[in-house]
mmCIF file with all atom_site columns, all heavy atoms in Angstrom:
data_model
loop_
_atom_site.group_PDB
_atom_site.id
_atom_site.type_symbol
_atom_site.label_atom_id
_atom_site.label_alt_id
_atom_site.label_comp_id
_atom_site.label_asym_id
_atom_site.label_entity_id
_atom_site.label_seq_id
_atom_site.pdbx_PDB_ins_code
_atom_site.Cartn_x
_atom_site.Cartn_y
_atom_site.Cartn_z
_atom_site.occupancy
_atom_site.B_iso_or_equiv
_atom_site.pdbx_formal_charge
_atom_site.auth_seq_id
_atom_site.auth_comp_id
_atom_site.auth_asym_id
_atom_site.auth_atom_id
_atom_site.pdbx_PDB_model_num
ATOM 1  N N   . ASP A 1 405 ? 27.518 -62.758 125.005 1.00 68.00 ? 990 ASP A N   1
ATOM 2  C CA  . ASP A 1 405 ? 28.832 -62.368 124.750 1.00 68.00 ? 990 ASP A CA  1
ATOM 3  C C   . ASP A 1 405 ? 29.598 -62.390 126.081 1.00 68.00 ? 990 ASP A C   1
ATOM 4  O O   . ASP A 1 405 ? 28.933 -62.486 127.152 1.00 68.00 ? 990 ASP A O   1
ATOM 5  C CB  . ASP A 1 405 ? 28.982 -60.972 124.009 1.00 68.00 ? 990 ASP A CB  1
ATOM 6  C CG  . ASP A 1 405 ? 28.295 -59.877 124.836 1.00 68.00 ? 990 ASP A CG  1
ATOM 7  O OD1 . ASP A 1 405 ? 28.586 -59.743 126.010 1.00 68.00 ? 990 ASP A OD1 1
ATOM 8  O OD2 . ASP A 1 405 ? 27.419 -59.215 124.228 1.00 68.00 ? 990 ASP A OD2 1
ATOM 9  N N   . GLU A 1 406 ? 30.864 -62.252 126.116 1.00 66.00 ? 991 GLU A N   1
ATOM 10 C CA  . GLU A 1 406 ? 31.650 -62.357 127.291 1.00 66.00 ? 991 GLU A CA  1
ATOM 11 C C   . GLU A 1 406 ? 31.378 -61.224 128.289 1.00 66.00 ? 991 GLU A C   1
ATOM 12 O O   . GLU A 1 406 ? 31.748 -61.306 129.417 1.00 66.00 ? 991 GLU A O   1
ATOM 13 C CB  . GLU A 1 406 ? 33.137 -62.477 127.012 1.00 66.00 ? 991 GLU A CB  1
ATOM 14 C CG  . GLU A 1 406 ? 33.538 -63.673 126.108 1.00 66.00 ? 991 GLU A CG  1
ATOM 15 C CD  . GLU A 1 406 ? 33.320 -65.035 126.822 1.00 66.00 ? 991 GLU A CD  1
ATOM 16 O OE1 . GLU A 1 406 ? 32.785 -65.002 127.984 1.00 66.00 ? 991 GLU A OE1 1
ATOM 17 O OE2 . GLU A 1 406 ? 33.597 -66.047 126.225 1.00 66.00 ? 991 GLU A OE2 1
ATOM 18 N N   . SER A 1 407 ? 30.873 -60.125 127.845 1.00 69.00 ? 992 SER A N   1
ATOM 19 C CA  . SER A 1 407 ? 30.583 -58.947 128.730 1.00 69.00 ? 992 SER A CA  1
ATOM 20 C C   . SER A 1 407 ? 29.315 -59.091 129.464 1.00 69.00 ? 992 SER A C   1
ATOM 21 O O   . SER A 1 407 ? 28.999 -58.368 130.395 1.00 69.00 ? 992 SER A O   1
ATOM 22 C CB  . SER A 1 407 ? 30.540 -57.682 127.932 1.00 69.00 ? 992 SER A CB  1
ATOM 23 O OG  . SER A 1 407 ? 29.479 -57.628 126.994 1.00 69.00 ? 992 SER A OG  1
ATOM 24 N N   . SER A 1 408 ? 28.425 -60.150 129.111 1.00 74.00 ? 993 SER A N   1
ATOM 25 C CA  . SER A 1 408 ? 27.144 -60.299 129.712 1.00 74.00 ? 993 SER A CA  1
ATOM 26 C C   . SER A 1 408 ? 27.156 -61.536 130.582 1.00 74.00 ? 993 SER A C   1
ATOM 27 O O   . SER A 1 408 ? 27.959 -62.498 130.446 1.00 74.00 ? 993 SER A O   1
ATOM 28 C CB  . SER A 1 408 ? 26.076 -60.484 128.613 1.00 74.00 ? 993 SER A CB  1
ATOM 29 O OG  . SER A 1 408 ? 24.873 -60.857 129.201 1.00 74.00 ? 993 SER A OG  1
ATOM 30 N N   . SER A 1 409 ? 26.317 -61.456 131.688 1.00 78.00 ? 994 SER A N   1
ATOM 31 C CA  . SER A 1 409 ? 26.249 -62.593 132.586 1.00 78.00 ? 994 SER A CA  1
ATOM 32 C C   . SER A 1 409 ? 25.184 -63.544 132.137 1.00 78.00 ? 994 SER A C   1
ATOM 33 O O   . SER A 1 409 ? 24.961 -64.563 132.826 1.00 78.00 ? 994 SER A O   1
ATOM 34 C CB  . SER A 1 409 ? 25.927 -62.060 134.017 1.00 78.00 ? 994 SER A CB  1
ATOM 35 O OG  . SER A 1 409 ? 24.628 -61.395 134.009 1.00 78.00 ? 994 SER A OG  1
ATOM 36 N N   . GLU A 1 410 ? 24.516 -63.287 131.008 1.00 84.00 ? 995 GLU A N   1
ATOM 37 C CA  . GLU A 1 410 ? 23.429 -64.159 130.511 1.00 84.00 ? 995 GLU A CA  1
ATOM 38 C C   . GLU A 1 410 ? 23.886 -65.061 129.421 1.00 84.00 ? 995 GLU A C   1
ATOM 39 O O   . GLU A 1 410 ? 24.866 -64.702 128.695 1.00 84.00 ? 995 GLU A O   1
ATOM 40 C CB  . GLU A 1 410 ? 22.241 -63.262 130.088 1.00 84.00 ? 995 GLU A CB  1
ATOM 41 C CG  . GLU A 1 410 ? 21.654 -62.534 131.171 1.00 84.00 ? 995 GLU A CG  1
ATOM 42 C CD  . GLU A 1 410 ? 20.434 -61.677 130.645 1.00 84.00 ? 995 GLU A CD  1
ATOM 43 O OE1 . GLU A 1 410 ? 20.564 -61.062 129.537 1.00 84.00 ? 995 GLU A OE1 1
ATOM 44 O OE2 . GLU A 1 410 ? 19.394 -61.733 131.285 1.00 84.00 ? 995 GLU A OE2 1
ATOM 45 N N   . PHE A 1 411 ? 23.159 -66.123 129.280 1.00 86.00 ? 996 PHE A N   1
ATOM 46 C CA  . PHE A 1 411 ? 23.279 -66.965 128.038 1.00 86.00 ? 996 PHE A CA  1
ATOM 47 C C   . PHE A 1 411 ? 21.875 -67.203 127.583 1.00 86.00 ? 996 PHE A C   1
ATOM 48 O O   . PHE A 1 411 ? 20.898 -67.228 128.263 1.00 86.00 ? 996 PHE A O   1
ATOM 49 C CB  . PHE A 1 411 ? 24.088 -68.205 128.238 1.00 86.00 ? 996 PHE A CB  1
ATOM 50 C CG  . PHE A 1 411 ? 23.667 -69.042 129.363 1.00 86.00 ? 996 PHE A CG  1
ATOM 51 C CD1 . PHE A 1 411 ? 22.730 -70.051 129.251 1.00 86.00 ? 996 PHE A CD1 1
ATOM 52 C CD2 . PHE A 1 411 ? 24.260 -68.911 130.663 1.00 86.00 ? 996 PHE A CD2 1
ATOM 53 C CE1 . PHE A 1 411 ? 22.305 -70.857 130.260 1.00 86.00 ? 996 PHE A CE1 1
ATOM 54 C CE2 . PHE A 1 411 ? 23.919 -69.654 131.724 1.00 86.00 ? 996 PHE A CE2 1
ATOM 55 C CZ  . PHE A 1 411 ? 22.925 -70.614 131.555 1.00 86.00 ? 996 PHE A CZ  1
ATOM 56 N N   . LEU A 1 412 ? 21.802 -67.550 126.245 1.00 88.00 ? 997 LEU A N   1
ATOM 57 C CA  . LEU A 1 412 ? 20.552 -67.736 125.583 1.00 88.00 ? 997 LEU A CA  1
ATOM 58 C C   . LEU A 1 412 ? 20.188 -69.223 125.520 1.00 88.00 ? 997 LEU A C   1
ATOM 59 O O   . LEU A 1 412 ? 21.009 -70.057 125.099 1.00 88.00 ? 997 LEU A O   1
ATOM 60 C CB  . LEU A 1 412 ? 20.555 -67.246 124.167 1.00 88.00 ? 997 LEU A CB  1
ATOM 61 C CG  . LEU A 1 412 ? 19.371 -67.427 123.254 1.00 88.00 ? 997 LEU A CG  1
ATOM 62 C CD1 . LEU A 1 412 ? 18.135 -66.639 123.810 1.00 88.00 ? 997 LEU A CD1 1
ATOM 63 C CD2 . LEU A 1 412 ? 19.638 -67.001 121.869 1.00 88.00 ? 997 LEU A CD2 1
#
Side-chain angles (χ1 to χ4, degrees):
D990 57 53
E991 298 295 3
S992 64
S993 172
S994 63
E995 295 181 315
F996 52 89
L997 175 66

